[in-house]
Amino acid sequence: KTAKDTQGALATAGVGDQGQALGGARYGGQLGGAGYYRAFVKELQGRGLTDTSGRPDIGGENSVSAGLRADVNLSAADSLSVEAGALRDHANSQAASFVLQPPFTIVSQGVERNNSSDAMASWTHRQSDGSSEALRMSFDHAGTSEPNFTRSYSNFNLEFQHQVNLSESNDLVWGLGFRDSSSNSSGSFTASETQPHRNNRLYSGFLQDQISL
């Protein structure tokens, strides 16, 4: 939803019959007379798990997320949208590792941590004849850390799109795109990736001509 559609204050809370609890707050307002914004924060508490003997095995999950969005009219023909968010969570955990000598199996206790973040900016220019240009840039990052394995990845995207009204019955749309993706990991004898470090780049483009009969 746009920031204009989520104005005012909103608070939420909830509990579950298995020990879960959650809460959140959101607020949206105006940026002068040119645009709107909203911001939010959420927290979740999960229930811990036990093993077959009833002893605590995996601690309850705790996560916090927050984000914001702003939509601004730069002029009568130009608009800008900016959005960002982040999440952090952790839970007590254990992992079994295997080795080639006694005792062959080692159980590691630790904390599993996950994090993610993203940001996006989109600019749109509209002309009087109905034609438009749009430029979008985004970045996201995520990572996880377990007792015997860690991994993270990032993506950067850049997209451009141009719509041209050739006539009342003919619309031409073309665009270009670029993506850069990278990932890194470190593991053990038990859990690892065949390529711990990777980086891929993707270039794309399209052309579409729509004719109304």
Side-chain angles (χ1 to χ4, degrees):
K1 293 182 178 180
T2 65
K4 184 179 180 180
D5 296 329
T6 52
Q7 293 294 283
L10 175 68
T12 58
V15 295
D17 60 359
Q18 300 297 318
Q20 311 96 323
L22 61 89
R26 186 188 73 199
Y27 183 79
Q30 285 189 269
L31 294 171
Y36 300 85
Y37 74 91
R38 72 162 177 263
F40 75 90
V41 61
K42 295 180 182 179
E43 183 175 7
L44 172 66
Q45 296 278 354
R47 179 178 69 92
L49 303 178
T50 58
D51 59 17
T52 55
S53 62
R55 294 177 299 179
D57 186 13
I58 300 177
E61 179 186 11
N62 175 273
S63 66
V64 178
S65 60
L68 58 88
R69 178 183 173 116
D71 300 309
V72 181
N73 294 320
L74 303 176
S75 66
D78 297 276
S79 61
L80 176 67
S81 295
V82 179
E83 190 169 0
L87 179 144
R88 300 288 184 273
D89 78 67
H90 68 273
N92 294 328
S93 182
Q94 67 178 22
S97 300
F98 302 97
V99 294
L100 299 179
Q101 57 187 8
F104 302 110
T105 302
I106 300 175
V107 178
S108 302
Q109 301 284 344
V111 178
E112 179 181 345
R113 302 181 185 276
N114 297 283
N115 65 86
S116 65
S117 57
D118 61 87
M120 182 275 296
S122 178
W123 165 79
T124 303
H125 175 76
R126 296 179 177 83
Q127 301 180 19
S128 59
D129 63 353
S131 301
S132 64
E133 297 94 27
L135 180 65
R136 176 188 174 100
M137 180 173 59
S138 63
F139 175 81
D140 64 87
H141 173 81
T144 182
S145 175
E146 302 178 23
N148 63 345
F149 183 73
T150 61
R151 184 177 188 271
S152 66
Y153 68 87
S154 301
N155 294 306
F156 172 77
N157 294 281
L158 184 63
E159 302 171 359
F160 175 78
Q161 181 174 306
H162 186 198
Q163 178 183 353
V164 183
N165 288 341
L166 301 178
S167 67
E168 294 183 356
S169 60
N170 191 359
D171 289 336
L172 179 68
V173 183
W174 66 274
L176 299 172
F178 169 74
R179 165 173 285 195
D180 183 274
S181 301
S182 62
S183 65
N184 295 279
S185 66
S186 61
S188 61
F189 175 78
T190 302
S192 63
E193 293 186 342
T194 55
Q195 290 183 281
H197 307 289
R198 292 185 293 177
N199 183 257
N200 299 309
R201 291 182 177 179
L202 175 66
Y203 301 87
S204 62
F206 74 92
L207 176 67
Q208 174 182 309
D209 190 9
Q210 180 174 336
I211 301 175
S212 301
L213 302 177

